[in-house]
Amino acid sequence: MTIPTENVGSLPRSSKLQSAITNYDAGKITREELECEQDAACRDSIQRMEATGSPIVSDGEQRASSFATYPIVDTLAGTGLAENLAPDGQHFAFFTDGHHRQLPRLTGGPFRYKTYAAEYLKKSIKMATTPMKQAVIAPSMLSLLYPLDKEVSGYPRDQFLEDLCNECEKDIRSCFKSGAARVSIDFTEGRLALKNDPNNPWTGRSMLEHFIELNNRVIDRFSAKERRNIGIHTCPGGDCDSTHSAEVDYADLLPSLFKMNAGYFLIQVASEKDKERVYKMCGEYSRSDAKGVPQICFVGVIDPLNPKIETPEQVCEDLLIASKFIPIERLGSTDDCGFSPFSIDTKPKHGSPDVARDIAFQKIAARVKGTKLASEKLGIA
Ligand SMILES: [Zn+2]
């Protein structure tokens, strides 16, 4: 046994790929030409991630508009928006650098995914020689497509939530059917739900418990054996090298987070001011038996928003400290977030998405090496 290590999902899209997306939005290139660029980007992502020695890889979400919108729209600019949606929905988040991201708005029923994550995975898995993971979006995030207070005519909220849970379940099941070794659910809205941002009405509605309940409605449809390989990712956001909810205290989130009956958690910690405090809470609130599965805590040892590359020694040191608070058999390592959850991302602190992409692979290599070092030091390698 060694300490397991796994990335969250996304990698920066190269300038070339981002230009291709913009050209596709402008009608200058065809769908086939865009897909050709995306295929090349996935192949490069997988090969370079495999070269880091990582035991599990992803395609860096190079085909997705974003971690949250891939099921409903082809590009962030709105090309290929799914049926029953309008572009002018509520804001998902306002980030500390002043930019924001907006969701579409549901205008009618039924709600159906246009694209399932497995469609990306099926293409990418042929390019890989190591096991692959796939990230999917949480039902809680997509529940924000429904207007906060208004009822969609002819489509009651309860019916929408039932359709949404069915679609999320199908999204996860089809990933496993297509060969995913692990499926992690992105839950960045969990921490944001505690922010009370006056600019962003949904964050002031105490929605966390409702989110957790909704996500469990999907997670509980899976057997204990399946849930071992179903994870939850939490973070304060990571877009354009900026966060949306880093000021929210983990003490308000973690006790609720571990109520979800998932088998593992990918938890941002590297960029926290007091990492020990977070390890301690993970040890305290994670469960050794969540309806038949132990909850493995993958602690973040890499900060994807900071261009400075962590050393394997630093990663090792973090894990050794974490192991004092989290049982070793329930400890793993990860990155704090995806390296670019949204397809169009200039990575300003890095200088360019191309530089950020190179740095991302070096950071992943440091995580893999540092995790191995920690396993050796703890006598479990
Ligand atoms: Zn994240």
Side-chain angles (χ1 to χ4, degrees):
M1 187 193 119
T2 53
I3 297 172
T5 191
E6 175 175 329
N7 66 314
V8 172
S10 66
L11 287 167
R13 281 64 158 183
S14 66
S15 309
K16 191 166 176 248
L17 177 55
Q18 292 193 40
S19 302
I21 297 167
T22 309
N23 287 335
Y24 176 65
D25 283 325
K28 290 182 190 162
I29 65 167
T30 63
R31 175 97 200 182
E32 289 67 36
E33 286 170 307
L34 175 64
E35 282 176 4
C36 187
E37 287 293 342
Q38 290 170 330
D39 285 348
C42 286
R43 185 170 284 109
D44 183 68
S45 299
I46 291 166
Q47 285 173 353
R48 292 177 75 182
M49 218 184 293
E50 285 183 339
T52 66
S54 181
I56 188 161
V57 301
S58 76
D59 66 10
E61 299 174 11
Q62 306 289 292
R63 297 184 180 91
S65 52
S66 80
F67 72 107
T69 56
Y70 70 85
I72 51 170
V73 71
D74 296 338
T75 72
L76 272 183
T79 307
L81 188 62
E83 270 179 53
N84 299 326
L85 289 168
D88 59 341
Q90 58 188 324
H91 289 102
F92 143 62
F94 290 81
F95 290 80
T96 47
D97 67 350
H99 86 284
H100 58 76
R101 296 288 191 180
Q102 189 175 12
L103 288 167
R105 171 176 59 91
L106 198 74
T107 56
F111 174 72
R112 296 286 182 268
Y113 279 16
K114 189 183 159 188
T115 305
Y116 297 89
E119 293 168 46
Y120 302 144
L121 182 70
K122 273 182 212 159
K123 292 181 191 168
S124 294
I125 207 160
K126 295 179 202 149
M127 302 169 178
T129 57
T130 43
M132 284 195 78
K133 72 160 293 181
Q134 181 65 47
V136 298
I137 191 59
S140 48
M141 170 68 87
L142 294 179
S143 72
L144 295 171
L145 296 173
Y146 201 98
L148 206 50
D149 293 312
K150 273 188 248 157
E151 174 110 348
V152 173
S153 120
Y155 196 46
R157 189 180 301 269
D158 285 350
Q159 182 59 53
F160 162 67
L161 293 178
E162 183 55 29
D163 287 343
L164 171 61
C165 286
N166 291 341
E167 290 296 272
C168 291
E169 180 190 359
K170 190 173 165 190
D171 202 25
I172 297 171
R173 283 202 194 283
S174 53
C175 286
F176 283 127
K177 248 181 240 155
S178 305
R182 316 259 277 176
V183 177
S184 63
I185 301 170
D186 284 326
F187 184 52
T188 186
E189 66 283 11
R191 194 159 175 182
L192 187 53
L194 297 163
K195 180 158 168 174
N196 269 317
D197 180 352
N199 294 317
N200 200 6
W202 78 261
T203 66
R205 299 287 186 100
S206 308
M207 290 176 90
L208 180 63
E209 293 307 318
H210 161 68
F211 282 175
I212 303 256
E213 216 175 278
L214 184 64
N215 294 344
N216 263 343
R217 259 173 80 177
V218 173
I219 295 167
D220 286 346
R221 294 178 182 185
F222 293 85
S223 68
K225 198 175 161 221
E226 289 167 325
R227 280 183 288 114
R228 277 182 184 271
N229 294 315
I230 296 178
I232 298 278
H233 165 57
T234 181
C235 69
D239 183 32
C240 301
D241 294 335
S242 166
T243 58
H244 54 54
S245 57
E247 68 272 49
V248 171
D249 192 331
Y250 257 143
D252 296 327
L253 175 69
L254 293 179
S256 300
L257 186 82
F258 290 108
K259 286 186 196 162
M260 282 183 281
N261 297 313
Y264 73 104
F265 291 77
L266 303 169
I267 306 156
Q268 167 263 355
V269 192
S271 57
E272 284 292 306
K273 278 190 198 85
D274 187 348
K275 297 189 238 187
E276 266 194 45
R277 183 169 170 264
V278 182
Y279 301 146
K280 203 173 165 205
M281 284 190 276
C282 288
E284 194 176 335
Y285 296 112
S286 64
R287 291 175 289 159
S288 57
D289 183 358
K291 285 197 176 177
V293 286
Q295 294 182 320
I296 319 287
C297 302
F298 286 67
V299 297
V301 291
I302 298 291
D303 180 4
L305 307 184
N306 185 344
K308 188 165 181 275
I309 299 163
E310 294 80 356
T311 64
E313 290 71 25
Q314 241 177 293
V315 168
C316 173
E317 183 59 27
D318 279 355
L319 287 170
L320 294 182
I321 297 169
S323 73
K324 292 180 188 161
F325 302 98
I326 301 166
I328 296 173
E329 68 279 8
R330 290 200 286 115
L331 176 66
S333 71
T334 186
D335 310 316
D336 273 5
C337 191
F339 285 86
S340 265
F342 293 86
S343 54
I344 303 296
D345 183 344
T346 54
K347 296 295 281 180
K349 285 186 195 159
H350 289 73
S352 84
D354 300 316
V355 172
R357 205 171 146 79
D358 290 342
I359 288 177
F361 292 111
Q362 293 177 63
K363 282 178 171 260
I364 293 169
R367 167 167 54 76
V368 171
K369 212 169 165 194
T371 304
K372 198 163 167 259
L373 261 175
S375 299
E376 285 162 11
K377 292 215 168 162
L378 289 166
I380 56 169

